[in-house]
Amino acid sequence: MRPAFGLLFWMLSAVAAGASVAPTIAGGEVGVRIDALAFPATLSRELASGLTNRLYVRVSVLDGQAVVQMRTVEITIRYDLWEEKFTVTRTMEHASSETQQVANITEVNSILASLRIPRLFSARSLPGNRDLKIRAELLLNPISREKMRMIRKWVAENSTPDIGADTGISSSNTIFNRIFEQYADGSDVAAEWRVDLMSPPFRPATLGHEAR
Amino acid sequence: MNTRFLYCLVALLLPAHAIAQVSDERRAEALQVQEIRCTGNEQTSCNFIRDHLYLKDGDALDEEEIRNATLRLSALRNFDAVRIYLEKGGQRGAVIVVIDVTENSPIAMEWIAGGSFRLEGERTLTGGRIAHQNLFGEGKFADLTAVAVVPFGGEASTEAYEVSLRYADPQLFNSRRWFGIAVAGWRKYDSEDIHGNFAHLDTPQFDLSVGRRFADFSYVTAGLSYRPGIDFSSGRWLRDGSFELEDGEDLDLTFKLTYGWSSEDDLHFPTQGSTFQLTADARGFPSSSTVGFSALQFRKTWSWLDAFWTLKIGGEPNPEYRSILAETQMFAFTYARPLQAGDNVRRGRWYIEPGYGLPGFAPGGVHIYEAGLKIGYRADTRMFGIVDLYLIGSVDVNQ
């Protein structure tokens, strides 16, 4: 199946590139650190486009196959064409946010290369006597299923049905190929760039504390 | 610009994109579109590209609309890649929106080659289609299709040739709702099975159809088919045991009305969705019309267990104005496995398709029950376009 192949490909890509996710703990709260992500080669160019880029991160704590807790974090990066600076904003669960000004693309890449997302879960709320794992799903500029439905409707209205090699969707367009593969797999959000990572097993009580 | 669609889209998307949106919107409110430019377009007009971005000079910058426009443009066959970015305008807060496209070749090709061993008849089917998908840089279509069915053995025989030239306007009258198709072609067909059923057709054919889209994925088309000097004759056994002969007396002008929908994500490589089409025609139009249903087609695809499963009724989607490049079965169930893409193959599948059909009657009104099996390989190649290679065989269950 293409979706499974696709997902496997992304996961393998991440593994091959050495991408990893590891739990962290500070002040009794568990966070994650994500290293060595292989972002698209065009990311630096996109970051400087003047438009807002979004990195959607869904972090789940797993007990075996069961999801114990889940948090979503969105990191937005936008470039001010006049100030020539980047603003990086981290928002958790649509609510609390932190903003920092970044002087140049090198610093932005440095932030993304070693992504630290603290204070996701209270350590006390996690089962302390079980081996847990962290799963991190990262999507760059995600597209919701509803949005794709609307776009497809738009496409249907703007193409001759059953003409030639398409029903509107360009057969060579990688964006749609990848996105539809993910939708066919049942994902609620999809993106052209997507990575799934899994941490080694851990117990909250054994996590080393790190400075904030 | 369809503002209702835009409002709908924005309203629907708000919950999913509420994250960190407020600050972006504040910023976006502060920016104003000074100008919209296109780069990378050599065969596509900038007006055509700009029409897909529902912003104009002087509007407040709407980043969500820019993302939507990127998707809209990416969905078109015209482009391989689309990128939109901002440049500083003449004053602070004024931005130039640059739409940078990488164009696809406007030429698309489709090829088919198959060996067929069906009901005591052995034949090959070969065909090709070459299309220009972006005429005048405005997304209009023209294609040339040729198909040949050549017998090489067996007691039954089918020989057919078809050539057609088609022009299609996806946005007739510059409307998103209306589309139009004009086809000129020639068809020759001769067949005879082992029971004596036969058909002969030799005719030029001119089709003119106008269609309108409605609801989510539905459309209706109305069209005329004109066959000057048609040479048609057929003979077939009927259920009551009689043998019926027909000529082409009422086939020179036919009116067709079609209802259909297509929610598939791709015609050749569907991963989900369905296609349906039902055509009614009135022969002998307009004087002594005989109305009948000439085609019902349905196809639905599921994605399951690392494969794609497709149920087909009436063959591959085959609108009346398109000569589909496929040899089909009346009822079929397809199991298709995707293949790894490579340097020369964008995507590919092999498939196996058991099928069943009721092609007619034998003497005495006995049903002919055709059970068939098709195996094939379909790929979207960089050099040749869509390629479909297959073998199909079938037997009469009664024999």
Side-chain angles (χ1 to χ4, degrees):
Chain A
M1 183 170 87
R2 289 166 69 198
F5 272 126
L7 196 56
L8 185 62
F9 174 75
W10 282 309
M11 293 173 76
L12 289 175
S13 304
V15 170
S20 64
V21 58
T24 61
I25 190 164
E29 292 185 289
V30 175
V32 294
R33 174 176 172 157
I34 301 167
D35 289 309
L37 285 169
F39 285 103
T42 55
L43 180 63
S44 294
R45 191 183 65 173
E46 289 305 319
L47 291 175
S49 68
L51 299 167
T52 305
N53 283 274
R54 292 186 165 79
L55 180 62
Y56 177 85
V57 187
R58 183 158 52 193
V59 183
S60 309
V61 178
L62 303 179
D63 182 355
Q65 297 296 317
V67 175
V68 178
Q69 288 191 46
M70 185 168 71
R71 294 281 186 274
T72 57
V73 176
E74 190 173 67
I75 297 165
T76 62
I77 305 163
R78 64 174 194 267
Y79 179 63
D80 189 309
L81 295 168
W82 284 269
E83 299 293 334
E84 298 185 347
K85 287 180 180 173
F86 293 87
T87 303
V88 180
T89 304
R90 189 177 65 215
T91 309
M92 187 161 72
E93 297 294 341
H94 307 216
S96 60
S97 65
E98 292 177 4
T99 299
Q100 67 182 110
Q101 299 292 324
V102 181
N104 54 50
I105 191 73
T106 308
E107 283 186 40
V108 176
N109 285 332
S110 169
I111 291 170
L112 294 176
S114 183
L115 205 56
R116 292 171 185 228
I117 309 175
R119 301 188 302 278
L120 290 170
F121 312 100
S122 166
R124 283 185 299 180
S125 68
L126 300 175
N129 56 346
R130 308 270 300 175
D131 280 338
L132 306 176
K133 284 185 178 179
I134 294 275
R135 180 187 181 194
E137 302 160 79
L138 297 97
L139 296 90
L140 187 60
N141 294 321
I143 300 164
S144 70
R145 179 177 285 274
E146 186 58 27
K147 183 168 193 168
M148 283 311 302
R149 196 188 73 79
M150 295 302 292
I151 292 292
R152 286 179 61 202
K153 179 181 175 184
W154 178 89
V155 168
E157 289 177 350
N158 286 274
S159 62
T160 307
D162 33 68
I163 278 188
D166 55 82
T167 49
I169 303 301
S170 165
S171 61
S172 61
N173 194 290
T174 52
I175 293 178
F176 280 91
N177 291 344
R178 289 181 188 174
I179 287 170
F180 281 124
E181 281 166 359
Q182 291 168 55
Y183 282 137
D185 201 25
S187 304
D188 55 344
V189 288
E192 188 184 359
W193 183 90
R194 173 179 174 162
V195 168
D196 281 20
L197 299 171
M198 190 75 80
S199 77
F202 72 98
R203 293 189 178 204
T206 63
L207 288 177
H209 287 246
E210 69 172 23
R212 289 177 60 184
Chain B
M1 163 180 149
N2 187 337
T3 50
R4 275 192 307 170
F5 166 70
L6 180 60
Y7 291 145
C8 260
L9 184 61
V10 170
L12 284 165
L13 297 178
L14 271 177
H17 288 266
I19 312 166
Q21 196 95 321
V22 177
S23 58
D24 295 338
E25 284 170 3
R26 275 197 205 109
R27 170 179 172 266
E29 282 166 13
L31 297 179
Q32 191 177 40
V33 178
Q34 175 184 306
E35 184 187 348
I36 300 169
R37 288 182 189 162
C38 308
T39 61
N41 57 312
E42 293 178 357
Q43 296 157 6
T44 311
S45 74
C46 191
N47 281 340
F48 176 80
I49 295 170
R50 272 195 295 242
D51 283 348
H52 294 79
L53 173 62
Y54 302 157
L55 290 174
K56 60 182 186 303
D57 296 358
D59 282 355
L61 184 76
D62 181 343
E63 284 206 33
E64 194 62 35
E65 169 49 27
I66 287 180
R67 294 289 180 197
N68 291 341
T70 306
L71 287 171
R72 279 186 216 112
L73 288 162
S74 298
L76 298 177
R77 62 196 67 79
N78 310 51
F79 307 117
D80 195 40
V82 177
R83 176 177 178 249
I84 302 182
Y85 60 92
L86 308 180
E87 287 182 353
K88 280 192 278 191
Q91 59 188 22
R92 191 180 180 93
V95 292
I96 299 166
V97 179
V98 182
I99 307 173
D100 181 36
V101 298
T102 305
E103 292 177 321
N104 269 328
S105 166
I107 305 299
M109 295 184 289
E110 184 183 346
W111 307 98
I112 187 170
S116 181
F117 306 84
R118 300 179 72 169
L119 298 177
E120 311 292 331
E122 299 166 4
R123 55 189 183 261
T124 59
L125 185 149
T126 51
R129 169 179 291 137
I130 297 177
H132 193 297
Q133 304 185 107
N134 189 20
L135 281 178
F136 321 121
E138 298 287 345
K140 318 298 184 193
F141 295 81
D143 69 28
L144 177 67
T145 301
V147 178
V149 177
V150 179
F152 63 84
E155 293 180 45
S157 171
T158 298
E159 183 172 11
Y161 304 95
E162 181 170 341
V163 180
S164 64
L165 182 64
R166 188 165 53 108
Y167 172 80
D169 187 340
Q171 295 177 327
L172 198 61
F173 317 125
N174 290 320
S175 161
R176 288 199 188 91
R177 293 287 182 185
W178 293 93
F179 57 93
I181 301 100
V183 186
W186 171 75
R187 300 170 69 189
K188 185 175 182 350
Y189 179 86
D190 283 287
S191 75
E192 182 168 4
D193 69 12
I194 59 171
H195 306 292
N197 296 299
F198 72 92
H200 165 75
L201 172 71
D202 189 350
T203 182
Q205 182 165 326
F206 301 93
D207 301 308
L208 195 62
S209 302
V210 175
R212 190 178 194 281
R213 306 175 183 95
F214 65 96
D216 280 357
F217 300 106
S218 298
Y219 59 89
V220 289
T221 61
L224 286 171
S225 292
Y226 176 50
R227 305 176 186 90
I230 181 172
D231 178 7
F232 175 78
S233 60
S234 75
R236 57 178 184 156
W237 294 103
L238 302 180
R239 184 193 295 268
D240 63 7
S242 62
F243 193 78
E244 180 187 67
L245 290 170
E246 278 189 280
D247 60 27
E249 184 177 35
D250 57 352
L251 289 174
D252 54 344
L253 190 60
T254 307
F255 175 76
K256 293 180 181 176
L257 193 63
T258 297
Y259 163 73
W261 80 68
S262 177
S263 62
E264 290 182 332
D265 50 5
D266 193 281
L267 186 65
H268 286 91
F269 301 90
T271 64
Q272 60 179 338
S274 62
T275 295
F276 172 84
Q277 184 161 280
L278 180 63
T279 298
D281 60 19
R283 298 178 176 186
F285 184 81
S287 54
S288 57
S289 296
T290 309
V291 178
F293 290 99
S294 65
L296 185 152
Q297 290 166 327
F298 176 75
R299 181 168 84 171
K300 181 165 177 57
T301 299
W302 297 268
S303 175
W304 185 50
L305 293 178
D306 297 345
F308 301 109
W309 307 76
T310 303
L311 173 67
K312 297 176 193 172
I313 299 172
E316 306 285 351
N318 186 19
E320 93 277 9
Y321 46 80
R322 183 186 170 197
S323 304
I324 192 164
L325 300 183
E327 183 168 354
T328 62
Q329 305 180 80
M330 187 180 291
F331 303 99
F333 196 76
T334 309
Y335 170 81
R337 293 277 298 196
L339 299 169
Q340 193 75 33
D343 290 342
N344 298 313
V345 177
R346 290 189 178 105
R347 50 188 169 162
R349 291 179 181 180
W350 63 261
Y351 59 89
I352 182 164
E353 183 178 289
Y356 197 72
L358 302 166
F361 294 93
V366 179
H367 255 305
I368 303 170
Y369 295 108
E370 181 186 22
L373 185 67
K374 182 180 181 183
I375 55 173
Y377 167 77
R378 179 175 295 166
D380 179 4
T381 67
R382 294 185 190 281
M383 184 171 292
F384 301 109
I386 303 287
V387 174
D388 196 356
L389 307 172
Y390 70 92
L391 287 172
I392 185 170
S394 72
V395 294
D396 183 345
V397 176
N398 284 335
Q399 295 186 352

